[in-house]
Amino acid sequence: MTARATEILRRAGAEQHSLEDYAGCVPRWCTGCGDNAILAAVQKVCREEQLPLEKIVFVSGIGCSSRFPHYMGTYGFHGLHGRALPVAEGIKMRRPDLHVFVNTGDGDCCSIGAAHWVHATRYNMNMTVMMHDNNIYGLTKNQASPTSPMGTRSNTTPRGSVLEPFDPLQATLGFSNLSFVAQVPDWIPELLFQVIHEAHKHRGFSFIRILQRCPEFQANRWEPCMQDPASVRILTHENGVKLSPTLARAYKNNQEHDPSDLVEARRIVGTSEEIPVGIIYRNPDVPCYEDMRKPDRLYTPDHVKSGLEEELDKFTIWPRD
Amino acid sequence: MSVAIKKQATPVSKPAHEIDEHIVEILSDSGEGAQKCGQSFGAISARLGYGIWTVEIIPAEIQPPARSVDGASGNRIRVASRRITNGGDKADLAVAFNEQVLRGRLNANELKPGSIILLEDKWRHDDDPSIAASYVAVYDELLERGFDAIEIPMETECLKIVNDPRKGKNMFVLGLLCSIYSLEVEAAHEQIRFIFGKKSEQIIIANQRLLDAGYQWAEDNLDIKFKIQATPPVEPSIVVNGNTSIALGVMASGMEVCAMYPITPATSASHYLSDVFEKVGGVVHQAEDEIAAAAFAVGSSYAGKCAVTITSGPGYSLKQEVIGLAVMAEVPLVVIDVQRGGPSTGQPTKPEQGDLLTACFGSHGDAPKVVMAASDIEDCFYSVITARRIAEAFNTVVVLLSDANLATAQQPFPRPEFCEEWLAAPIDQSPVDEDYLPYDWNARSGQRRRVIPGQPNGMHTLTGLAHDRNSGVAYNLKTNKEGIRNRSLKLAALQKTIKPPTVLGDDEGELLVVGWGSTRGSIEEAVQRIRADGHKVSSMHLKILQPLASGIREIMQRFDKVLVVENNWADSMDDELIDEDNRRYSNLGWLLRARCLVDIDCWGEVGEQPIKPGTVERVIRERLN
Ligand SMILES: Cc1ncc(C[n+]2csc(CCOP(=O)(O)OP(=O)(O)O)c2C)c(N)n1
Ligand code: SF4
Ligand SMILES: [Mg+2]
């Protein structure tokens, strides 16, 4: 069936959007790349919410992960390295009707685009941001990223990286006007789906750090964690993620965490030996910039005319009679 | 020789010298209000039907040390019986609140020999003997050099009315000037009411009293009175500076989003816009930096109407990568660069036209974009409207160049009459055909239909990667080439619609002067002066710099010599090291030589002040000999 026909049927209520409707070009990521898992989860969220295809925009920077929009059957904007967030803000500003998603890499977000990330958090515009953190620069072929563990051997650190890694969670929990922070690995599909789904439903700037596998350049990075479920501590809550019975059997290391508790969120992120997973912080009451900056007056040609005339009056020299 | 200060009251009807024009400078320490005084003097004159052009004199710091040579803050106002297009040459009259700020202007040679200087006299009696000595030294020097220096007890007189003379001297001076130039006090009262409109009635009245005091003091004590013929306006006109004009243009163009990051001398456009844009449903976003501002504007344009980002040189450089993206992805974008002295932080408050080549050829790879320049205050307004229309018609980047000269200069122009065609079309959310291709380039014009999020069936991912007609990533050379060709073609298609520039003066002759942007007024005035002597000199001013109109070469070929004059650097052939092989031409010089294969000479000046007509006149005369 053509996309158009599907659309007509869907509108008539006869058919729902299927997963395939949300699919775009065939992904060109490496086999086993965690980005594939993220793509699958995102498409499921879109189907779950039955988001209209034309009302969705995926915005990205540059990197393996930033190819994401091409693989969605929605609108997309694959822009510049590090600059996905300001582009997404510009889109959202006058188009609150659009569902805006952002895909960014650890280099894209925490290095070249770090300033935008700080401020995007503060603007708190309603969008879902997925930071695909594979601890490496993938697209440019294996250079250390700010999140690479100390000692990472890469093409720019052949004898091992010398700096302590940057912790995106600790950083973001220090930003002002925080609204939603989560962390989830790409290899637990059920949680990945839940977290992205919650992030999308949250009204505000929802930031998810996704621990992403890069078998090509960081083959062993997450392997031990995958093998050892106890290395992951799942934060559950009625306002956070919930474990299904199956998942609860596999992941015994979990704890209740109220996502509204910022002090506790900072404590967990700052001290936990294990990887905290789930919704770390959530505050639904932070106002969104696009709402606050919405002009009282609608844009109409009549308003432009009257507004302009009013201003011109201030500077006008009328002939004296 | 000094005009004696008459102690006895003179009758109000002193005979006035009839003059054609005068250039007045008002100079103070920063914060003493000389700028407000100057702007008001200009506005009153405009109201009464004089031609005016005002130039701000701005120190580099917010609070430069008091009484310093480099700290002069104020205004130059050129008042004439006819339309004025520039700040003119040297001043005929200066009012100085202390002798040091005056010294700055003397050093810069901005005052006519023998001109009238009204000097605050309080420093003569200053408690600090070094200050008193410095004052006396300057005063004596003025007399010795033949200036008509007159001491005025500004502070003493103001203290009779207000407690803090620092906040009132400027209105006293305004009163002096109204008397000297025979301006109606009534018009000045109206102006005070207008500028202090938001303040209390008490403040308005106090300022009007200061004005009256200044007026009366001049009537009673000064021997100088001028009268310039005014032509009372028959049509309404508006008096604004270039940045306000740009902001009004943004409102009138139908754009809804302006994203910016503060930078001198562009910021005041955004200040004003921030105050008024929401009235028409628009919004100014102050981003975290210029890259974000440009990217924000691109995002807005992508999802709706064309947006604008306003900046100056250093910020313009930061936007280059985003400009390349907008060109590549074919997202309409208006970038306004209010140029300042560069490179680097350069001279933030001083005029320069140094960004033309970077505007034409900046970003990276082949990034064809449209470049326009505003040539006067009125043009600032209409250029924004045109820029928005071109950006949207061709889905590309339009760079509009203004500069520090236009930014703060004021000039009256006919009040614009709103016209709905100025506005962008409402955003289209209708479904598109199933076989829609995001880059379905028109083979003849390179244009494409832009479809935005929300339109059913139009889904595609815009990308800064080379792409095919379906906006898919171009993995082969041929597809990439097709995109490059079509983006380039758009400029050619636009070029076909541009009319050749007009020539001021004869169509042929000894010398053609070519310029662009804010130097128009000075160039044309210089050319007219020289034409009055019988020389066959003409001028041509370019508004669209990329693509250049057809016919420019033919016009140039009808003159014996062509000289480009602009406010940027050009190596001088008088320099020992410079020859034809290493000479760096001025910006437009390079451009026209390359485009037209004509041996064009150029002259450029990078100075503190806008280029003066007298300077252009001198340069032309040298070239004629
Ligand atoms: C301005 C600029 N600098 C550098 C690059 C080269 N570049 C492309 S992607 C990338 C890093 C990608 O790493 P990351 O953001 O972690 O994404 P990943 O590929 O790992 O998903 C770099 C440095 C670029 N495209 N643009
Ligand atoms: S290089 Fe790594 S991140 Fe990039 S596609 Fe391959 S596996 Fe994924
Ligand atoms: Mg990465």
Side-chain angles (χ1 to χ4, degrees):
Chain A
M1 203 176 323
T2 65
R4 178 106 191 250
T6 320
E7 186 60 32
I8 291 165
L9 281 173
R10 192 185 71 77
R11 275 161 197 249
E15 190 169 331
Q16 299 266 304
H17 276 313
S18 65
L19 274 182
E20 292 75 60
D21 292 340
Y22 294 102
C25 302
V26 179
R28 284 183 168 232
W29 289 308
C30 307
T31 322
C33 173
D35 288 338
N36 292 295
I38 302 172
L39 181 67
V42 166
Q43 289 171 345
K44 269 178 74 181
V45 169
C46 290
R47 183 192 56 180
E48 181 72 18
E49 291 292 312
Q50 283 298 304
L51 304 180
L53 293 166
E54 70 276 9
K55 291 286 195 183
I56 310 173
V57 189
F58 279 82
V59 186
S60 64
I62 297 293
C64 294
S65 40
S66 288
R67 290 292 175 105
F68 201 98
H70 291 278
Y71 308 142
M72 293 294 299
T74 63
Y75 281 95
F77 195 115
H78 177 207
L80 296 177
H81 191 32
R83 319 298 171 197
L85 289 170
V87 170
E89 290 153 12
I91 293 172
K92 191 71 187 175
M93 193 70 174
R94 303 315 294 264
R95 294 295 308 271
D97 59 312
L98 299 175
H99 301 276
V100 177
F101 293 84
V102 175
N103 300 90
T104 173
D106 42 327
D108 207 60
C109 179
C110 304
S111 194
I112 191 167
H116 306 314
W117 173 35
V118 177
H119 293 278
T121 307
R122 183 171 151 256
Y123 300 141
N124 191 41
M125 300 183 79
N126 186 17
M127 58 180 72
T128 303
V129 181
M130 291 163 268
M131 199 259 276
H132 304 224
D133 192 353
N134 55 4
N135 286 193
I136 200 79
Y137 285 10
L139 191 71
T140 41
K141 300 199 169 63
N142 199 22
Q143 297 86 17
S145 97
T147 58
S148 300
M150 193 156 41
T152 296
R153 286 180 195 275
S154 75
N155 282 327
T156 47
T157 53
R159 286 168 289 284
S161 60
V162 298
L163 293 174
E164 277 292 338
F166 170 82
D167 182 342
L169 287 186
Q170 283 207 56
T172 191
L173 289 179
F175 297 168
S176 306
N177 219 26
L178 204 59
S179 156
F180 184 105
V181 178
Q183 170 157 283
V184 66
D186 75 38
W187 58 88
I188 313 177
E190 190 182 314
L191 285 183
L192 184 61
F193 171 82
Q194 261 194 62
V195 167
I196 298 173
H197 195 194
E198 289 303 314
H200 171 253
K201 286 192 294 185
H202 175 80
R203 193 172 155 68
F205 185 81
S206 314
F207 179 79
I208 316 168
R209 181 204 194 188
I210 304 179
L211 308 175
Q212 179 228 323
R213 289 162 296 166
C214 170
E216 190 69 19
F217 300 123
Q218 279 282 27
N220 300 316
R221 175 67 182 102
W222 305 114
E223 208 51 35
C225 306
M226 291 173 71
Q227 300 306 331
D228 175 17
S231 64
V232 174
R233 175 176 294 201
I234 299 175
L235 310 173
T236 59
H237 194 264
E238 55 177 351
N239 293 327
V241 297
K242 295 161 200 90
L243 288 181
S244 67
T246 337
L247 214 55
R249 271 197 296 281
Y251 289 89
K252 299 219 166 52
N253 182 6
N254 51 60
Q255 93 179 57
E256 276 268 305
H257 166 63
D258 178 357
S260 68
D261 188 343
L262 184 58
V263 175
E264 180 61 10
R266 288 188 179 135
R267 203 194 55 77
I268 293 173
V269 163
T271 57
S272 176
E273 289 292 309
E274 301 115 5
I275 300 167
V277 164
I279 297 172
I280 295 168
Y281 181 69
R282 166 188 241 166
N283 178 358
D285 299 326
V286 185
C288 293
Y289 185 68
E290 66 271 32
D291 298 337
M292 292 188 284
R293 297 300 316 276
K294 197 171 160 196
D296 295 336
R297 268 207 201 172
L298 269 179
Y299 174 97
T300 66
D302 281 347
H303 283 157
V304 176
K305 182 173 188 321
S306 61
L308 187 67
E309 301 281 4
E310 206 176 304
E311 284 312 304
L312 290 175
D313 280 351
K314 288 188 191 163
F315 306 110
T316 299
I317 300 168
W318 298 101
R320 305 173 122 215
D321 38 30
Chain B
M1 173 221 64
S2 158
V3 172
I5 299 171
K6 293 190 185 165
K7 289 297 167 213
Q8 77 279 28
T10 10
V12 177
S13 55
K14 270 180 285 191
H17 290 287
E18 296 269 340
I19 51 170
D20 242 3
E21 66 158 278
H22 243 205
I23 297 172
V24 178
E25 288 199 355
I26 303 158
L27 310 161
S28 72
D29 281 346
S30 184
E32 286 185 314
Q35 285 187 1
K36 191 169 247 173
C37 174
Q39 281 158 4
S40 302
F41 180 58
I44 297 163
S45 307
R47 252 160 221 269
L48 295 170
Y50 297 96
I52 61 149
W53 182 280
T54 69
V55 182
E56 271 184 22
I57 298 161
I58 320 168
E61 290 92 16
I62 305 291
Q63 284 192 339
R67 296 176 35 82
S68 67
V69 173
D70 300 320
S73 164
N75 230 290
R76 160 181 279 220
I77 310 98
R78 187 177 181 197
V79 193
S81 55
R82 59 183 192 287
R83 180 173 181 267
I84 289 296
T85 60
N86 63 80
D89 296 319
K90 292 183 185 177
D92 300 280
L93 182 147
V95 187
F97 289 32
N98 68 60
E99 83 289 350
Q100 291 303 317
V101 291
L102 179 71
R103 154 89 59 214
R105 302 301 284 170
L106 283 171
N107 292 353
N109 204 10
E110 294 285 359
L111 309 178
K112 229 178 235 174
S115 53
I116 302 163
I117 292 168
L118 309 180
L119 201 51
E120 159 71 282
D121 76 351
K122 72 169 225 175
W123 311 105
R124 186 180 280 284
H125 320 289
D126 202 273
D127 293 341
D128 181 338
S130 69
I131 290 180
S134 141
Y135 174 87
V136 170
V138 171
Y139 181 76
D140 291 348
E141 183 192 327
L142 288 174
L143 296 188
E144 199 174 305
R145 287 172 60 181
F147 286 100
D148 192 355
I150 306 169
E151 298 186 82
I152 314 259
M154 297 182 195
E155 182 139 326
T156 317
E157 291 298 318
C158 289
L159 276 172
K160 294 179 185 166
I161 299 167
V162 286
N163 299 330
D164 179 6
R166 256 181 80 87
K167 296 233 161 65
K169 237 182 241 185
N170 60 345
M171 290 298 121
F172 180 84
V173 168
L174 187 60
L176 292 179
L177 292 172
C178 286
S179 158
I180 293 173
Y181 291 100
S182 319
L183 303 183
E184 282 173 39
V185 184
E186 197 42 46
H189 276 195
E190 284 168 25
Q191 177 66 17
I192 287 181
R193 188 158 282 287
F194 174 72
I195 54 176
F196 294 103
K198 287 180 185 163
K199 302 257 168 74
S200 71
E201 189 64 20
Q202 215 179 341
I203 292 183
I204 294 173
I205 291 173
N207 279 288
Q208 287 175 339
R209 283 185 57 208
L210 284 161
L211 174 109
D212 290 342
Y215 187 91
Q216 199 52 49
W217 194 91
E219 292 289 319
D220 294 347
N221 298 287
L222 292 183
D223 227 1
I224 38 177
K225 209 167 188 51
F226 298 106
K227 176 79 193 157
I228 302 171
Q229 275 308 320
T231 318
V234 283
E235 297 293 336
S237 56
I238 66 167
V239 185
V240 289
N241 66 28
N243 275 357
T244 305
S245 188
I246 281 176
L248 290 167
V250 170
M251 280 171 93
S253 72
M255 289 192 276
E256 288 184 48
V257 172
C258 168
M260 50 71 70
Y261 186 79
I263 184 165
T264 304
T267 323
S268 67
S270 309
H271 288 176
Y272 174 63
L273 202 57
S274 301
D275 193 26
V276 300
F277 207 15
E278 288 173 26
K279 263 191 205 178
V280 299
V283 64
V284 175
H285 169 63
Q286 178 178 327
E288 58 272 25
D289 59 35
E290 280 92 349
I291 301 176
F296 190 101
V298 164
S300 283
S301 282
Y302 159 72
K305 281 183 211 157
C306 177
V308 58
T309 180
I310 305 181
T311 189
S312 184
Y316 185 70
S317 292
L318 283 177
K319 292 177 199 287
Q320 292 310 308
E321 194 192 8
V322 178
I323 288 173
L325 169 69
V327 168
M328 180 59 132
E330 303 194 40
V331 177
L333 177 69
V334 174
V335 184
I336 300 176
D337 174 3
V338 184
Q339 303 161 95
R340 64 190 218 179
S344 189
T345 309
Q347 289 205 296
T349 59
K350 305 291 190 255
E352 192 177 309
Q353 300 177 303
D355 297 350
L356 176 58
L357 292 177
T358 190
C360 290
F361 305 115
S363 201
H364 42 272
D366 189 56
K369 53 197 112 49
V370 179
V371 179
M372 307 170 51
S375 62
D376 60 24
I377 308 301
E378 180 175 25
D379 207 24
C380 287
F381 178 82
Y382 291 103
S383 296
V384 182
I385 297 169
T386 311
R388 199 279 303 156
R389 292 174 90 164
I390 296 176
E392 233 152 13
F394 291 88
N395 289 309
T396 194
V397 176
V398 180
V399 183
L400 172 60
L401 298 171
S402 175
D403 61 29
N405 178 8
L406 294 179
T408 55
Q410 288 188 306
Q411 180 196 35
F413 65 88
R415 179 183 161 116
E417 281 197 31
F418 178 76
C419 162
E420 213 159 297
E421 280 135 52
W422 291 348
L423 303 182
I427 64 170
D428 183 2
Q429 290 285 274
S430 59
V432 290
D433 286 343
E434 239 167 78
D435 52 3
Y436 162 76
L437 288 175
Y439 292 99
D440 199 6
W441 292 297
N442 176 321
R444 284 182 50 78
S445 68
Q447 281 165 291
R448 69 163 188 127
R449 175 181 172 199
R450 187 165 73 98
V451 162
I452 65 171
Q455 291 188 260
N457 300 338
M459 287 80 70
H460 63 279
T461 288
L462 228 66
T463 175
L465 279 167
H467 44 261
D468 57 23
R469 284 179 181 253
N470 201 19
S471 197
V473 180
Y475 289 102
N476 65 58
L477 207 68
K478 190 165 157 282
T479 317
N480 180 35
K481 203 165 145 184
E482 189 185 16
I484 294 185
R485 174 178 172 274
N486 281 295
R487 289 188 295 274
S488 182
L489 219 54
K490 292 194 291 188
L491 283 208
L494 168 65
Q495 195 268 355
K496 294 286 180 205
T497 68
I498 304 174
K499 293 194 206 91
T502 50
V503 174
L504 174 87
D506 301 298
D507 273 351
E508 52 176 40
E510 295 170 69
L511 178 74
L512 176 73
V513 185
V514 189
W516 65 281
S518 70
T519 47
R520 178 176 197 154
S522 289
I523 291 176
E524 294 189 346
E525 186 168 333
V527 164
Q528 264 149 352
R529 286 183 199 169
I530 293 172
R531 289 182 63 79
D533 295 350
H535 283 291
K536 295 203 73 181
V537 173
S538 301
S539 71
M540 173 167 78
H541 213 74
L542 303 178
K543 282 194 183 183
I544 299 190
L545 284 310
Q546 183 160 280
L548 284 168
S550 299
I552 292 175
R553 181 196 301 108
E554 290 69 20
I555 294 172
M556 294 197 297
Q557 281 169 340
R558 291 197 290 267
F559 289 83
D560 300 340
K561 285 182 190 169
V562 180
L563 171 69
V564 168
V565 168
E566 52 191 318
N567 193 2
N568 58 45
W569 182 258
D571 284 337
S572 162
M573 291 300 282
D574 298 338
D575 216 314
E576 208 183 331
L577 214 62
I578 300 303
D579 56 39
E580 279 300 347
D581 293 332
N582 64 12
R583 183 180 191 194
R584 294 176 66 244
Y585 298 95
S586 61
N587 278 219
L588 184 63
W590 281 118
L591 208 59
L592 288 180
R593 288 175 70 90
R595 164 60 66 197
C596 303
L597 292 180
V598 173
D599 190 10
I600 296 163
D601 191 7
C602 61
W603 178 88
E605 184 185 67
V606 187
E608 294 256 303
Q609 293 291 320
I611 293 182
K612 294 181 163 47
T615 311
V616 181
E617 184 185 343
R618 175 181 54 77
V619 172
I620 296 176
R621 288 194 195 279
E622 280 167 16
R623 295 307 200 268
L624 286 175
N625 294 329

